[in-house]
Amino acid sequence: MDCYTANWNPLGDSAFYRKYELYSMDWDLKEELRDCLVAAAPYGGPIALLRNPWRKEKPASVRPVLDIYSASGMPLASLLWKSGPVVSLGWSAEEELLCVQEDGVVLVYGLHGDFRRHFSMGNEVLQNRVLDARIFHTEFGSGVAILTGAHRFTLSANVGDLKLRRMPEVPGLQSAPSCWTTLCQDRVAHILLAVGPDLYLLDHAACSTVTPPGLAPGVSSFLQMAVSFTYRHLALFTDTGYIWMGTASLKEKLCEFNCNIRAPPKQMVWCSRPRSKEKAVVVAWEKRLMVVGDAPESIQFVLDEDSYLVPELDGVRIFSRSTHEFLHEVPVASEEIFKIASMAPGALLLEAQKEYEKESQKADEYLREIQELGQLTQAVQQCIEAAGHEHRPDMQKSLLRAASFGKCFLDRFPPDGFVRMCQDLRVLNAIRDYHIGIPLTYSQYKQLTIQVLLDRLVLRRLYPLAIQICEYLRLPEVQGVSRILAHWACYKVQQKDVSDEDVARAINQKLGDTPGVSYSDIAARAYGCGRTELAIKLLEYEPRSGEQVPLLLKMKRSKLALSKAIESGDTDLVFTVLLHLKNELNRGDFFMTLRNQPMALSLYRQFCKHQELETLKDLYNQDDNHQELGSFHIRASYAAEERIEGRVAALQTAADAFYKAKNEFAAKATEDQMRLLRLQRRLEDELGGQFLDLSLHDTVTTLILGGHNKRAEQLARDFRIPDKRLWWLKLTALAALEDWEELEKFSKSKKSPIGYLPFVEICMKQHNKYEAKKYASRVGPEQKVKALLLVGDVAQAADVAIERRNEAELSLVLSHCTGATDGATADKIQRARAQAQKK
């Protein structure tokens, strides 16, 4: 245990810092890091080196080389730089490499050197060139800050949603600031810069001077500044050799340290653990590394090689040509267990487990001591927590064995934490492997989340490992294996050395019907890679037509899209394709396509009936569908034409179409309608009133109501209205006028073709019983009983029924016999029935 703490270095009385090796780098660098532009992504991310930058004197014929390595030094990509001079490199939160050029253009590359996109930081930056640049990370994404040759700042807080902000001008600034950085306060990005002894804070509206509280006197210049990983703290290195540390708001001082070195450092970064009270800054010079904090002494390391610092959430990564190390504050749990002469519960439990393996009775003594203090649960938790912060698997196992040993003596210790830690450490050890090269700590892993880690493995094309992790952690398929397989398929379609058939078959065999996998997304990627035929083959495996059709339309395979839409039975989808085809094809080809698809043609006709009537007419003309064309002209005569002449002309066209369709009935009916329209116009001119658009029956009725009986009779003769129908029309019209005298004359004009029962019914509807009785006497014997019942003469109706000996009529009369007055009539009917039965 004493040997284990040999690399612990105390900083004051409250904290220890240790530095251990992550990897022995084997990247065979031909140049020193100082001669390259360097960018390393946080959370154990990749390292980018731009060799032979323009600032170094090299022959003009030598092109710079951009190399991308994993954190363990494994090469990921290498490409000749063929664009303009680069000022700065940086990694986005999505592990995309941002290369800021001197002309203000930012080129974005993937992890494997594939070009993604580019964007410009504006015309002002282009005109004044870029002096310096910073890539920073906020809760909104990754941002870029630019210092131009005019000593003005421009920034964008999110390169994914580019919105450029030109920061206010610093008064009197004639040269580049000695140092500057980006701050994030109140969800807004700011620029903090140093000009001589003054500090300026630039926000979106103004430039203000700020003064660090408690700064040692005599400062004439700030040489370096560093903001913490969480943007909560700020460190300033002055020309007097003092390092001021405080909050990023510059309202509170944490401490100040005199390092007695006035030379400007190469790098200065924060090194602090989440939720730790100890705050420390790591400062690097050419051959020296210093850790300073709120203590009178510092921790110093000798740098044998040119090194580069990478700030992390819970420490600092330090890499050089030969090694990659991690410097961090020793976690509390580890400190309590491994500190010399520690009597913490976790330390005693670890000793007890070791003695137990030796079969020594001291194990029982240590356990009893812990149990007497009631700290066994705390001891197990300390060992589990400390195991998470250990980098060496042997120490992880030792601590977990101790925790498992202690759990055996606890009745109700929840196993979830122990099991979860074992799972997390297994995942961490897998990704820390030299060939994977992602040296995440436990704190970083929890902050990053397993989903982001899987995304990063997918970016590195480590699909088998990602799937193994998903299966080991039993993640839901949609979030785990399915998503990774979909990424693998998208990568597979980019392999242009494999035939379309082989790629499609391999993808289908691997994916099958895996839930959560969209073949249309994979097909879209194939189409984006220029493999249209492969995309079509992949779409055959997509079960959802709604996903197939949009991509087929995008690929200009509209006819295939129409077939798929029709197969789906989704009319909205068919309409979408039809409208696309209409805009894509000329009119003739569009109509020919529709003729080959009857369902689509039918749906398009329905659409045209409501939206495009002229197109509908063209469709009928092309198909020689004279029947529908005639119907179209009839509808058009009423919908579009207001003038009687135009309406008649449209009806004449419809009649001609019906004749061509050999539908003589429709043609004659249309001609009759034309005659009726002309007659109605003449009636309006001669008589006034409203006749247009009335039916033939309504026209006759209107004439009768207006007292124009002769005209009504003439109209009936002209249009061959049957006598029965004319009598009904005249009967209802005169009854509505209550012109009973004219109705009586009309009934006596000749024998009624409809009989006289309708007269009785119409009069009773008008509540005129007196007039109804006049006609009841004229009703024939077959309907006599019904007529008499309508006028309420039940006794006479009974006499007629008895005389006719009609059982149905007798029953009808009986149903109308109500009350005492009709009792005699009912008895009379019953006697008549009895006599009929005797006979």
Side-chain angles (χ1 to χ4, degrees):
M1 190 180 298
D2 295 344
C3 181
Y4 182 74
T5 61
N7 64 343
W8 289 19
N9 297 277
L11 187 65
D13 299 327
S14 58
F16 290 87
Y17 284 79
R18 65 178 173 184
K19 180 162 68 80
Y20 57 82
E21 184 177 290
L22 296 173
Y23 303 107
S24 177
M25 304 294 278
D26 190 24
W27 48 4
D28 191 27
L29 294 184
K30 297 179 181 178
E31 301 186 31
E32 294 292 338
L33 292 178
R34 68 172 67 91
D35 296 329
C36 302
L37 288 176
V38 184
Y43 294 100
I47 302 168
L49 301 176
L50 186 58
R51 297 179 180 178
N52 302 332
W54 295 264
R55 63 187 180 188
K56 186 174 179 179
E57 297 180 0
K58 287 284 181 181
S61 59
V62 177
R63 286 186 178 275
V65 179
L66 176 63
D67 291 316
I68 301 175
Y69 300 91
S70 70
S72 60
M74 294 285 289
L76 298 177
S78 181
L79 63 148
L80 280 176
W81 188 260
K82 298 180 181 179
S83 192
V86 177
V87 176
S88 180
L89 299 176
W91 291 93
S92 71
E94 295 79 22
E95 290 196 331
E96 291 182 325
L97 182 61
L98 307 180
C99 306
V100 184
Q101 294 190 151
E102 196 177 44
D103 58 0
V105 175
V106 181
L107 305 180
V108 184
Y109 287 87
L111 198 65
H112 296 277
D114 51 309
F115 178 75
R116 299 286 179 83
R117 64 186 187 281
H118 74 279
F119 58 88
S120 173
M121 295 299 289
N123 290 327
E124 182 186 353
V125 177
L126 173 63
Q127 294 172 2
N128 296 304
R129 319 303 280 174
V130 178
L131 285 184
D132 198 4
R134 299 279 191 278
I135 313 298
F136 60 95
H137 306 287
T138 68
E139 56 188 293
F140 306 108
S142 302
V144 179
I146 298 290
L147 172 62
T148 68
H151 308 125
R152 298 292 299 272
F153 288 91
T154 299
L155 67 79
S156 172
N158 184 2
V159 296
D161 181 18
L162 195 66
K163 295 179 181 178
L164 299 178
R165 273 173 42 203
R166 187 168 182 259
M167 306 305 282
E169 187 175 1
V170 179
L173 183 60
Q174 300 297 324
S175 60
S178 56
C179 57
W180 63 280
T181 190
T182 56
L183 302 176
C184 291
Q185 299 176 3
D186 301 326
R187 302 164 65 93
V188 178
H190 302 265
I191 299 290
L192 179 69
L193 67 150
V195 180
D198 300 320
L199 291 175
Y200 295 94
L201 185 65
L202 308 181
D203 58 20
H204 63 281
C207 169
S208 56
T209 305
V210 291
T211 303
L215 183 66
V219 175
S220 59
S221 178
F222 294 93
L223 304 181
Q224 187 68 274
M225 58 178 63
V227 64
S228 67
F229 194 84
T230 58
Y231 290 89
R232 294 178 182 174
H233 300 98
L234 177 71
L236 302 171
F237 188 94
T238 67
D239 58 349
T240 60
Y242 277 85
I243 301 174
W244 180 92
M245 287 172 273
T247 59
S249 62
L250 293 168
K251 294 180 180 179
E252 181 183 348
K253 175 183 175 182
L254 298 177
C255 62
E256 196 169 26
F257 183 83
N258 184 5
C259 67
N260 295 316
I261 300 176
R262 298 196 175 191
K266 285 177 55 182
Q267 277 185 281
M268 183 170 69
V269 297
W270 281 83
C271 179
S272 58
R273 183 169 44 82
R275 297 182 297 277
S276 173
K277 296 181 180 179
E278 185 68 31
K279 305 300 178 186
V281 171
V282 179
V283 191
W285 287 271
E286 195 71 30
K287 295 293 182 180
R288 180 183 300 184
L289 188 74
M290 185 181 293
V291 183
V292 301
D294 189 11
E297 300 295 332
S298 63
I299 304 171
Q300 298 196 28
F301 301 93
V302 176
L303 297 177
D304 298 325
E305 298 177 294
D306 189 24
S307 301
Y308 188 85
L309 308 184
V310 185
E312 291 283 7
L313 174 70
D314 54 350
V316 178
R317 283 194 288 140
I318 307 165
F319 64 85
S320 62
R321 288 170 59 94
S322 60
T323 60
H324 195 161
E325 300 173 307
F326 186 66
L327 171 64
H328 73 127
E329 180 189 349
V330 177
V332 175
S334 299
E335 181 181 338
E336 290 185 348
I337 292 175
F338 294 110
K339 190 166 59 174
I340 297 174
S342 173
M343 296 298 291
L348 295 176
L349 181 58
L350 181 61
E351 286 300 319
Q353 193 272 333
K354 289 181 178 179
E355 294 298 332
Y356 175 76
E357 288 184 346
K358 297 176 185 177
E359 299 183 358
S360 170
Q361 64 180 8
K362 288 184 179 180
D364 183 62
E365 295 175 4
Y366 287 130
L367 271 175
R368 287 182 183 276
E369 184 176 350
I370 300 171
Q371 288 175 329
E372 287 173 0
L373 296 173
Q375 296 177 335
L376 187 53
T377 301
Q378 182 184 351
V380 173
Q381 290 173 339
Q382 277 186 350
C383 289
I384 294 173
E385 183 182 349
H389 295 296
E390 291 302 317
H391 184 75
R392 288 166 42 187
D394 60 325
M395 290 307 302
Q396 297 169 3
K397 293 177 182 178
S398 179
L399 288 163
L400 289 174
R401 276 196 295 266
S404 179
F405 177 69
K407 281 196 313 108
C408 296
F409 301 94
L410 290 171
D411 293 333
R412 296 181 180 178
F413 186 84
D416 297 346
F418 180 82
V419 174
R420 196 179 305 113
M421 181 59 74
C422 291
Q423 292 176 335
D424 291 342
L425 285 176
R426 198 165 179 190
V427 171
L428 287 172
N429 290 334
I431 64 173
R432 289 170 181 169
D433 183 80
Y434 177 82
H435 296 92
I436 307 301
I438 305 178
L440 281 181
T441 65
Y442 180 75
S443 300
Q444 295 168 18
Y445 170 69
K446 286 301 181 183
Q447 179 71 18
L448 198 64
T449 72
I450 183 63
Q451 294 299 336
V452 178
L453 175 59
L454 291 174
D455 288 341
R456 297 197 169 190
L457 290 174
V458 166
L459 277 177
R460 289 161 172 77
R461 299 170 185 167
L462 300 170
Y463 306 108
L465 176 59
I467 291 174
Q468 286 178 355
I469 290 175
C470 292
E471 292 173 345
Y472 175 66
L473 297 178
R474 298 180 181 178
L475 297 178
E477 281 201 7
V478 175
Q479 300 175 9
V481 176
S482 298
R483 188 165 62 96
I484 294 165
L485 287 174
H487 282 290
W488 167 81
C490 290
Y491 168 66
K492 191 76 176 174
V493 300
Q494 300 175 33
Q495 299 178 345
K496 298 187 177 181
D497 55 332
V498 185
S499 67
D500 294 344
E501 292 80 5
D502 293 342
V503 172
R505 190 184 310 111
I507 289 175
N508 180 246
Q509 289 175 352
K510 194 75 173 178
L511 301 186
D513 296 327
T514 303
V517 174
S518 172
Y519 280 96
S520 61
D521 292 342
I522 303 168
R525 179 64 65 88
Y527 176 67
C529 296
R531 305 185 70 172
T532 305
E533 293 303 321
L534 174 58
I536 294 173
K537 292 180 184 297
L538 289 170
L539 282 177
E540 293 296 328
Y541 301 119
E542 175 58 62
R544 298 166 296 176
S545 299
E547 298 293 330
Q548 291 178 317
V549 170
L551 184 57
L552 288 171
L553 292 176
K554 185 178 178 181
M555 293 190 297
K556 309 295 184 185
R557 300 301 178 100
S558 305
K559 294 181 180 179
L560 181 57
L562 181 59
S563 300
K564 294 292 184 183
I566 292 172
E567 288 175 11
S568 72
D570 187 343
T571 55
D572 290 339
L573 203 57
V574 177
F575 279 130
T576 301
V577 180
L578 288 176
L579 294 177
H580 183 88
L581 279 170
K582 181 186 173 186
N583 296 327
E584 184 184 70
L585 303 176
N586 59 53
R587 198 177 187 86
D589 292 341
F590 176 58
F591 286 166
M592 287 300 296
T593 302
L594 290 180
R595 291 184 68 178
N596 297 328
Q597 298 284 357
M599 178 184 172
L601 179 59
S602 176
L603 286 172
Y604 189 64
R605 284 173 178 167
Q606 292 296 326
F607 170 78
C608 291
K609 283 180 181 179
H610 296 90
Q611 301 290 336
E612 299 180 2
L613 293 176
E614 287 301 316
T615 304
L616 183 64
K617 183 174 73 171
D618 294 342
L619 278 172
Y620 292 147
N621 275 323
Q622 188 181 35
D623 294 341
D624 293 332
N625 193 339
H626 299 295
Q627 176 66 36
E628 291 294 340
L629 194 60
S631 300
F632 171 83
H633 285 297
I634 287 177
R635 287 192 297 270
S637 70
Y638 285 92
E641 293 290 346
E642 294 184 1
R643 297 179 302 106
I644 187 66
E645 295 81 4
R647 188 175 296 178
V648 170
L651 289 173
Q652 182 61 57
T653 306
D656 295 340
F658 287 135
Y659 277 122
K660 291 179 182 179
K662 298 182 179 180
N663 189 343
E664 293 190 4
F665 172 78
K668 294 291 185 182
T670 306
E671 290 176 346
D672 286 345
Q673 180 64 21
M674 294 162 54
R675 289 170 50 214
L676 180 61
L677 282 174
R678 294 190 185 100
L679 180 61
Q680 287 174 338
R681 168 54 63 88
R682 191 161 63 249
L683 289 174
E684 284 189 354
D685 293 342
E686 296 175 1
L687 306 178
Q690 179 67 35
F691 286 95
L692 273 177
D693 294 331
L694 294 178
S695 67
L696 178 59
H697 289 178
D698 290 343
T699 304
V700 172
T701 302
T702 304
L703 286 171
I704 295 171
L705 291 173
H708 308 290
N709 293 320
K710 290 185 178 181
R711 281 184 176 268
E713 292 172 359
Q714 182 61 43
L715 183 61
R717 285 193 295 273
D718 292 344
F719 286 90
R720 298 178 181 177
I721 296 178
D723 283 348
K724 287 186 177 181
R725 191 174 302 168
L726 179 62
W727 273 68
W728 265 109
L729 292 174
K730 199 163 186 178
L731 170 61
T732 54
L734 292 174
L737 289 173
E738 296 187 354
D739 190 350
W740 306 113
E741 183 178 349
E742 185 63 31
L743 181 61
E744 187 173 1
K745 290 180 182 180
F746 172 61
S747 68
K748 294 177 179 180
S749 61
K750 65 177 182 177
K751 184 179 179 180
S752 171
I754 60 174
Y756 292 95
L757 181 60
F759 284 80
V760 177
E761 292 173 340
I762 290 294
C763 290
M764 290 306 296
K765 282 183 180 179
Q766 297 294 329
H767 308 290
N768 194 332
K769 192 174 183 179
Y770 175 78
E771 292 292 332
K773 285 183 176 181
K774 291 181 182 180
Y775 304 106
S777 60
R778 300 169 65 183
V779 175
E782 293 81 2
Q783 296 177 326
K784 191 79 170 181
V785 171
K786 189 175 181 180
L788 291 171
L789 290 175
L790 284 173
V791 297
D793 195 345
V794 178
Q796 190 176 352
D799 292 339
V800 174
I802 291 170
E803 183 182 347
R804 285 172 52 79
R805 298 177 181 178
N806 189 313
E807 183 61 30
E809 291 178 351
L810 288 172
S811 298
L812 181 63
V813 175
L814 277 175
S815 67
H816 283 74
C817 292
T818 57
T821 56
D822 295 331
T825 303
D827 293 341
K828 188 176 182 180
I829 293 174
Q830 294 295 348
R831 287 195 299 270
R833 277 181 169 177
Q835 290 175 2
Q837 288 176 356
K838 287 179 181 180
K839 292 180 180 180

